[in-house]
Amino acid sequence: LGARLRRQVNAFMDWTITTLYRPLCAAMLRRRGLTLAVTLAILLVTAGLLIGGRVSYTLLPEVDGNVLRARVRFVQGTPNAKIQQAIRQLETDGIVAHVPRQGATVRSLGYAEVMELYEMRAVLEGTAARLAARAASDIEIEELKDMNRALEGLGNAPRAFVLNRQFHAALLDAAKNRFLSRAITGLHKTLLILGPTTLADPERAEQAVAEHDAVLDAVEARDGARAEAAMRTHIERAQRVRVRSLRSDASFDADML
């Protein structure tokens, strides 16, 4: 069946070339002036329709919302199956969404999702602080203190953003709960969609260091309830800064965020 279909397709293509394409090309070459005139006429009519507004057309259309384009480079020779698996994992994590005729696109978060995200972060990271008060070793606590002192000297420099993530990751490690760690890791992946950390605000960067100190004081005192309350306060203040920042964005849409 496959060979028969190929023969039929080949026969049709041969007929098209012989009967239509070659005679048309020959006629156009014999009447070069007429061919050029018709081509120019078509171009002028098309330009007139576009410029005159009779045909709706936008050269550089505006895209609703914030769009993040990224180029991902895989190691040469990576199988397509591995690439598709990586994209499916990003979809599972809620970071990208598949859009027809566009492919994988970084998704945006609506107002309700942002609020829910920070509510869960307060619960999970508050729990991590409470568990760390019980399980953290003295060495881990001292290391957390050193990280926060280093953070204090950085202000809102780019290095501070990395160190802040490391601080929260170290506190999570000190909690010594693998299931909690998995839950928070998944949540932090979704946070990446929101873009720059709230520490980009100089005032917020200074406040965060003081809030970290409050958490560490409670952890060192082995006061789990106080550690959890201090961490919840820390996350809730970050949430207020985040929402305020998003509302001031020029692309703010009350229906979306």
Side-chain angles (χ1 to χ4, degrees):
L1 179 63
R4 181 181 178 184
L5 179 61
R6 282 197 298 273
R7 285 196 299 271
Q8 290 177 343
V9 171
N10 290 335
F12 175 76
M13 292 300 297
D14 290 340
W15 178 86
T16 302
I17 292 171
T18 304
T19 308
L20 300 176
Y21 181 71
R22 284 178 179 171
L24 179 61
C25 288
M28 292 174 66
L29 288 173
R30 285 195 302 270
R31 300 175 177 82
R32 294 184 181 88
L34 178 60
T35 300
L36 179 60
V38 170
T39 303
L40 289 175
I42 293 172
L43 288 175
L44 289 172
V45 170
T46 302
L49 290 173
L50 294 176
I51 296 173
R54 293 180 178 273
V55 176
S56 178
Y57 177 76
T58 304
L59 180 61
L60 297 173
E62 294 184 1
V63 181
D64 293 335
N66 295 321
V67 177
L68 174 64
R69 296 185 181 274
R71 183 182 298 275
V72 180
R73 185 184 297 276
F74 289 88
V75 177
Q76 187 174 4
T78 301
N80 285 335
K82 289 287 187 181
I83 296 174
Q84 293 301 321
Q85 181 182 359
I87 293 174
R88 284 195 298 271
Q89 183 60 53
L90 289 174
E91 291 178 345
T92 301
D93 292 337
I95 297 175
V96 303
H98 185 78
V99 179
R101 297 185 298 277
Q102 292 185 29
T105 304
V106 178
R107 64 186 296 267
S108 59
L109 298 180
Y111 177 80
E113 289 178 299
V114 173
M115 300 303 287
E116 291 166 6
L117 182 63
Y118 271 92
E119 286 170 3
M120 283 306 302
R121 188 183 176 195
V123 171
L124 294 175
E125 296 209 33
T127 301
R130 175 169 54 81
L131 295 179
R134 181 192 67 189
S137 68
D138 292 340
I139 293 177
E140 287 174 318
I141 294 173
E142 287 303 318
E143 178 63 20
L144 285 163
K145 286 182 174 181
D146 288 342
M147 293 171 71
N148 202 41
R149 281 194 290 269
L151 186 61
E152 184 177 13
L154 292 173
N156 67 334
R159 170 61 185 160
F161 310 156
V162 177
L163 190 57
N164 181 63
R165 287 197 297 269
Q166 292 174 344
F167 174 88
H168 282 268
L171 186 65
L172 179 58
D173 289 339
K176 298 178 174 61
N177 187 299
R178 286 171 289 182
F179 296 99
L180 180 62
S181 179
R182 291 173 191 167
I184 292 179
T185 299
L187 184 144
H188 281 178
K189 289 179 181 178
T190 307
L191 276 172
L192 294 173
I193 299 174
L194 294 176
T197 171
T198 55
L199 295 188
D201 182 333
E203 183 179 353
R204 176 62 199 145
E206 183 178 346
Q207 292 172 349
V209 171
E211 292 161 13
H212 287 172
D213 278 333
V215 173
L216 293 177
D217 287 345
V219 170
E220 188 173 27
R222 305 299 178 182
D223 189 335
R226 183 156 61 94
E228 181 174 8
M231 180 57 79
R232 279 175 172 266
T233 297
H234 174 56
I235 301 302
E236 288 165 1
R237 287 178 179 172
Q239 178 183 8
R240 286 196 291 271
V241 173
R242 172 70 69 184
V243 172
R244 188 164 62 247
S245 173
L246 291 172
R247 286 187 184 278
S248 65
D249 194 311
S251 63
F252 171 78
D253 184 341
D255 293 331
M256 288 300 296
L257 186 78

